[in-house]
Amino acid sequence: RLKAAGLLPLARMMEGIPRDFLDRDLLSALVDRWNPRTHTFQFPWGEMGVSLKDVSMLLGLPIKGDPIAKPADPKNWAQDMGTRFCKHVPEYDSVLNVSNTPSSEAKKPTEELRGFSKKPAKRRKISAKQTEHPQLKESVQLATKKSTKLKEPEEEEDSAKLRGPTLAWLRSTYGKLVRLKELTEEQSQCAVEIYVLWLFGWVMFTSTHGDCVEPRLIEYAMDIAYSKIEDIQEISYGSAVLAGLYRANCDSCMRIGKKSSYVGCPLLLNLWSYEYLSTLGHPTETFFKHPGSVYKDDVDAPTVGSYWTNSQFKKEKQVGYDSYSQSIDIFRPCWVNWNPYTRDKLQQRAPGGLSSLCTRDRKFWLTKRNLIYDIYVEEYAPQRFMRQFDLEQRVPPPLGNPVPEEIHAWSRRRCEANSGWARKQSMDTYIETWRAASDDDSLWPSDRPYDRKSYKQYMKWYLQTDVVRCHQFVPQQGQSYTVPDSGYRSLEAGASWYIA
């Protein structure tokens, strides 16, 4: 079922990922360089961005298919979920304190919702609990006491105020299923639903709720778990993940509070930095743990991201945000790995070949269409970092399809306050244009390869039009310093220099 939905390569990646894989200080330093106007990172050596190509190669997620666009949460999702699981999960009523009777016959219908979060969204700083992407374990005891404590909703609250299934509930119910010696088909389907919800809520589409998954994603998990395999919908999970990452970057780079959080898909940005920005918090790899016999076919095969998540490696001494920030300021352009997906590099990492999903949807990589996730529409601008595709960078970069400010600033809170859902008509327009994302007239031209001379012209334009970074540099006594490939003058000892 995961294979039919296009989620199997990502699921394989998560099998061996270390609990402390994410580098939160590195992510913060990268988000600090994000430009919400262009949807690119502003570095001293030019613009860079996370592209659909990176999503395909690193995570192996499908890009072809319908976008994830659900304006409203399903009604009575909590009652339906409780009724569905209490029939097949052993001792389910002892966890949720309900009988196996329908919710309408229960003495206290709200008790059937036990285990679901009712708290409103709360902004918190990045914590290990939010970002570690832990594995689903057979025993619930592996979770902390705080995360495994089941929520007790008040009787007067209804399901409309609940935020979604919690991680504690998912772990508890999943643990009861996997401890069985034999599972019926219905129990296996319930386990698949729980696993997909975990994959959605704590890997692909993390949110500020922290301890629950968005209810609007339950429909997609149910489709994977209960539909006939040949009838499972073709969903563009790759474009949705990238849209969520863009949205998270735009939101996080504008925050100034001490309790700011970072959501979206932190795993994707962390893997992206390891591939492109070598030596910047770069771990030292030892060996790839998964033997070739683990994978079954051309889809069930490793991705480029598997090289990091399923390898044993050692990290350098832990550095903080300030150190990463200063390292980016003096990062040399020759250290940037502009194309980490060459044939020779991939052959060294995966001699047996990558998953076919890594390259199946390559025609979408240079699309001009905007990305969609939930109620958000994000501009996709690969024309601003064409060097990452080994293509010529035009000067100035051509204008793409910018999203109107009033649409880009739309938030879930505004939508919930607007009962008429005035944005639905606009969303339908963007959804329709995405369905033509791979048409020839929807792609940026790819017939002109990278040219060093033209890129120097681009850098001249870039340094004159964008503020890269304000940073004072004072060389040590007896040393001089020259910014590589920038045209700035050398500095003698004692001089002060500002990058503007």
Side-chain angles (χ1 to χ4, degrees):
R1 292 181 175 278
L2 293 173
K3 178 181 177 181
L7 300 178
L8 184 56
L10 178 61
R12 288 287 196 200
M13 281 181 55
M14 303 309 297
E15 287 180 355
I17 186 171
R19 295 178 67 87
D20 58 346
F21 181 80
L22 293 184
D23 192 332
R24 295 183 291 275
D25 293 323
L26 176 59
L27 294 177
S28 299
L30 291 174
V31 171
D32 188 40
R33 267 72 179 176
W34 182 259
N35 188 340
R37 178 177 59 86
T38 61
H39 281 185
T40 58
F41 293 104
Q42 306 273 182
F43 293 124
W45 55 87
E47 291 179 283
M48 298 187 72
V50 185
S51 67
L52 290 173
K53 179 180 180 180
D54 299 314
V55 177
S56 295
M57 301 299 291
L58 294 173
L59 304 183
L61 291 174
I63 301 174
K64 180 182 179 182
D66 293 333
I68 295 180
K70 292 293 179 183
D73 291 333
K75 295 182 179 180
N76 302 322
W77 61 266
Q79 289 92 341
D80 295 341
M81 203 168 187
T83 303
R84 187 164 64 251
F85 277 87
C86 71
K87 297 178 181 179
H88 307 296
V89 180
E91 301 180 358
Y92 183 78
D93 54 343
S94 66
V95 176
L96 299 185
N97 195 22
V98 296
S99 62
N100 289 331
T101 57
S103 59
S104 60
E105 301 176 9
K107 294 182 180 180
K108 296 180 180 180
T110 53
E111 288 187 355
E112 186 176 349
L113 313 180
R114 189 187 306 272
F116 295 96
S117 173
K118 66 181 187 301
K119 291 185 178 182
K122 181 179 179 181
R123 293 187 176 186
R124 295 180 289 182
K125 61 183 179 180
I126 294 177
S127 64
K129 176 185 174 184
Q130 291 174 283
T131 58
E132 63 184 357
H133 304 301
Q135 287 290 298
L136 286 176
K137 300 295 184 181
E138 294 185 2
S139 174
V140 190
Q141 298 176 356
L142 292 178
T144 61
K145 292 182 179 180
K146 183 177 180 180
S147 63
T148 56
K149 184 178 180 181
L150 299 179
K151 307 286 175 125
E152 295 278 354
E154 300 179 2
E155 294 184 9
E156 62 271 11
E157 296 192 10
D158 54 25
S159 61
K161 297 181 181 180
L162 302 177
R163 305 303 301 186
T166 63
L167 177 61
W169 183 87
L170 294 179
R171 278 180 166 172
S172 174
T173 309
Y174 188 84
K176 294 179 181 299
L177 289 172
V178 299
R179 281 195 294 270
L180 299 176
K181 294 182 178 180
E182 294 183 3
L183 273 71
T184 64
E185 182 179 357
E186 292 79 9
Q187 289 173 331
S188 299
Q189 291 173 331
C190 289
V192 172
E193 180 183 355
I194 293 176
Y195 178 81
V196 174
L197 285 176
W198 169 81
L199 201 64
F200 286 163
W202 285 272
V203 179
M204 298 168 61
F205 309 111
T206 63
S207 66
T208 53
H209 300 167
D211 63 342
C212 65
V213 60
E214 301 284 359
R216 64 191 67 93
L217 296 173
I218 295 177
E219 175 184 335
Y220 298 96
M222 289 182 61
D223 176 65
I224 297 174
Y226 302 105
S227 299
K228 293 182 179 180
I229 294 182
E230 59 272 15
D231 295 336
I232 292 178
Q233 300 180 56
E234 190 174 40
I235 302 297
S236 179
Y237 292 109
S239 65
V241 165
L242 188 58
L245 179 69
Y246 282 2
R247 180 70 181 191
N249 288 345
C250 292
D251 187 31
S252 299
C253 73
M254 303 295 289
R255 295 187 181 185
I256 58 175
K258 294 182 179 181
K259 295 185 178 181
S260 298
S261 60
Y262 181 71
V263 294
C265 185
L267 175 64
L268 174 59
L269 183 55
N270 212 138
L271 293 172
W272 179 88
S273 66
Y274 284 167
E275 289 294 333
Y276 286 90
L277 306 179
S278 58
T279 73
L280 189 66
H282 201 278
T284 304
E285 312 89 5
T286 55
F287 62 94
F288 188 59
K289 290 190 297 184
H290 271 330
S293 59
V294 172
Y295 303 103
K296 308 300 181 182
D297 49 43
D298 59 337
V299 175
D300 187 7
T303 67
V304 177
S306 304
Y307 179 75
W308 299 104
T309 61
N310 293 325
S311 291
Q312 291 185 355
F313 57 81
K314 295 181 180 180
K315 279 193 174 183
E316 299 177 356
K317 186 178 180 180
Q318 188 69 24
V319 296
Y321 165 80
D322 291 337
S323 298
Y324 278 130
S325 228
Q326 294 174 9
S327 298
I328 294 177
D329 287 334
I330 62 174
F331 201 82
R332 300 185 62 182
C334 60
W335 295 342
V336 179
N337 188 9
W338 288 100
N339 187 8
Y341 312 123
T342 61
R343 180 176 300 180
D344 293 339
K345 295 176 182 177
L346 296 180
Q347 182 64 26
Q348 294 176 359
R349 298 186 177 188
L354 297 175
S355 171
S356 59
L357 288 177
C358 291
T359 55
R360 188 196 69 177
D361 299 331
R362 61 190 311 154
K363 196 170 184 180
F364 289 82
W365 293 350
L366 289 175
T367 184
K368 299 178 181 179
R369 303 305 181 188
N370 295 317
L371 307 175
I372 302 172
Y373 169 62
D374 192 19
I375 61 168
Y376 308 121
V377 180
E378 302 293 329
E379 181 184 2
Y380 179 56
Q383 79 279 8
R384 302 190 70 94
F385 46 89
M386 295 295 277
R387 186 174 178 180
Q388 291 179 214
F389 299 91
D390 272 342
L391 298 175
E392 181 184 30
Q393 180 64 62
R394 294 176 58 183
V395 184
L399 184 65
N401 292 314
V403 179
E405 183 62 29
E406 62 273 12
I407 293 181
H408 186 259
W410 200 273
S411 66
R412 170 59 60 178
R413 185 175 300 176
R414 290 185 182 180
C415 281
E416 293 175 350
N418 183 4
S419 58
W421 289 95
R423 192 178 182 189
K424 186 178 184 303
Q425 184 176 0
S426 299
M427 289 295 297
D428 291 342
T429 302
Y430 285 109
I431 291 173
E432 193 62 32
T433 57
W434 171 257
R435 290 171 179 161
S438 62
D439 294 348
D440 292 338
D441 58 349
S442 300
L443 304 176
W444 293 105
S446 58
D447 55 340
R448 304 179 70 173
Y450 164 74
D451 179 66
R452 185 175 181 181
K453 183 178 180 180
S454 62
Y455 195 78
K456 286 186 175 181
Q457 296 176 352
Y458 159 78
M459 283 300 301
K460 184 178 180 180
W461 167 86
Y462 171 72
L463 293 173
Q464 292 175 348
T465 56
D466 285 301
V467 176
V468 179
R469 184 76 173 170
C470 294
H471 174 70
Q472 185 179 18
F473 177 79
V474 181
Q476 297 180 1
Q477 189 68 28
Q479 295 182 350
S480 61
Y481 185 83
T482 305
V483 182
D485 299 330
S486 65
Y488 286 106
R489 62 184 178 84
S490 300
L491 295 177
E492 301 301 332
S496 296
W497 176 51
Y498 291 84
I499 303 176

